[in-house]
Amino acid sequence: MNRTVLVWMALAALAGCKKKDEQANNTPAGSDVVGSAAPKMVEQTKGSAEAPPAPAADPKLIERGAYVAKAGACVICHTAIGPTGPDLEHAFAGGLEMPDPMGTWRTPNITQDKGTGIGTWTDEQIIASIREGVRPDGSGLYAIMPYMNYNRMTDDDAKALVAFLRTIKPVERTIAPNKDLKMPKGPGPKPANAPDDAGDQLKHGEYMATLMLCSHCHWTPNMKTFAPAGPDKMFSGGLPLTVPMLGKGTIFTANITSDPETGIGKYTEDQIFTTIKTMVKPDGKQIRGPMQFMQGTWSQLDDKDLHAVAAYIKKLPPVKNKVPASDFVANAGPPPGAPPPAGSPAAGSAAK
Ligand code: HEC
Ligand code: HEC
């Protein structure tokens, strides 16, 4: 089996990719780090020496927090990927290292370990790091940590997320800090706490799409300043990314605005839904590169939420931006996820 498939399968297991009713009896290794088993973990840690200082939170709150964590794909970045796939034993313990055109970055340990994780941070400090990109000591986080997106998170969801993070088993692991990255740093703006209007599909879609990081990857950079080329360029694509564990070369993010020629204006709302749900595009080709990683947790989200995201993306104003052709070549073997559809590039494909 090739590495891409292994990485994908492991991530799927990590995210608990089984149907909900199967999960109770047949829990894949590591899956209890996210979601349904979280309340159980709280019980296990209750009263033990490692127990977090706060009293065990309401299971409903933890469940919502786990869901927010899946939308935000925290575990995908904050878990190391070794030669045989993600280090499931140490989920959230950081150490994923990614060479990026803006500098090689690695993720910190966000488990509850008191020495090497965030176990001593207060709820407010954790929330500030996630939504404003600022550590308790006042230093700013590099914007690869998507605090500019999580800035949109409501106070309620931020509190739920922290309740979930408190259930994560402490792992002692020291991660070297990031240095000299060519990207902006926090602190970002104070969160507006604008509501998540669940009754309005478009507004709810905007909320979910923001937490799901579409604009964290799909923006158009000014390659001199490494800042967005403009406020209207958050979805018009062209960010260059390298992902050695998936393939060689550079992959540019797509223009996902409604421009019919350079964007995805010809996709129906249902086709956008299917693309983010299955990672297969309307032309039958597999999405390549880092967006594949997201499926590990996105496949756990409610279809209603994914439909709302699709509705919102469909309505993005058109921005003309022809994204450069990617020279990315996926590692040999079938693409990850579902069996490759007829006519799809089984082994590495060139630019689209
Ligand atoms: C795209 C990858 C990525 C995703 C997704 C991501 N993070 Fe991070 N996170 C990082 C990186 C990289 C840093 C370190 C930034 C730096 O060194 O300045 C970081 C830093 C942090 C920190 C500060 C830890 C410390 O010791 O400084 C916390 C807390 C955190 N992330 C929590 C989260 C949570 C919770 C989520 C999901 C809602 C999340 N992250 C999603 C990449 C990511
Ligand atoms: C980690 C980075 C990343 C994130 C997050 C991400 N994408 Fe992508 N996306 C990409 C890359 C890279 C491509 C190009 C894939 C290729 O060329 O095969 C892509 C391709 C696509 C495509 C196919 C476009 C086409 O031309 O056919 C769609 C649609 C899409 N993304 C939508 C989304 C939506 C909606 C979200 C948020 C819910 C999202 N993406 C989040 C990196 C990302």
Side-chain angles (χ1 to χ4, degrees), residues 203-250:
K203 287 186 187 157
H204 180 57
E206 176 268 328
Y207 184 71
M208 288 304 296
T210 308
L211 295 195
M212 288 170 69
L213 310 179
C214 315
S215 58
H216 183 64
C217 284
H218 282 280
W219 54 285
T220 308
N222 172 331
M223 287 310 288
K224 285 206 179 81
T225 59
F226 291 101
D232 60 333
K233 301 286 193 300
M234 295 315 289
F235 296 93
S236 49
L239 184 70
L241 298 168
T242 51
V243 199
M245 52 284 267
L246 291 180
K248 288 190 184 60
T250 301

Side-chain angles (χ1 to χ4, degrees), residues 22-106:
E22 283 171 15
Q23 253 172 8
N25 315 324
N26 187 9
T27 310
S31 73
D32 65 349
V33 295
V34 179
S36 62
K40 186 184 83 203
M41 295 174 66
V42 175
E43 266 165 43
Q44 280 167 352
T45 53
K46 228 188 264 169
S48 86
E50 297 292 352
D58 164 18
K60 277 253 167 311
L61 189 70
I62 295 172
E63 199 185 313
R64 175 63 193 168
Y67 192 82
V68 172
K70 286 172 191 169
C74 319
V75 72
I76 305 290
C77 278
H78 282 280
T79 304
I81 298 182
T84 56
D87 182 7
L88 307 180
E89 293 291 304
H90 305 103
F92 295 101
L96 175 71
E97 199 166 79
M98 199 71 85
D100 186 278
M102 300 188 192
T104 295
W105 49 268
R106 71 185 72 78

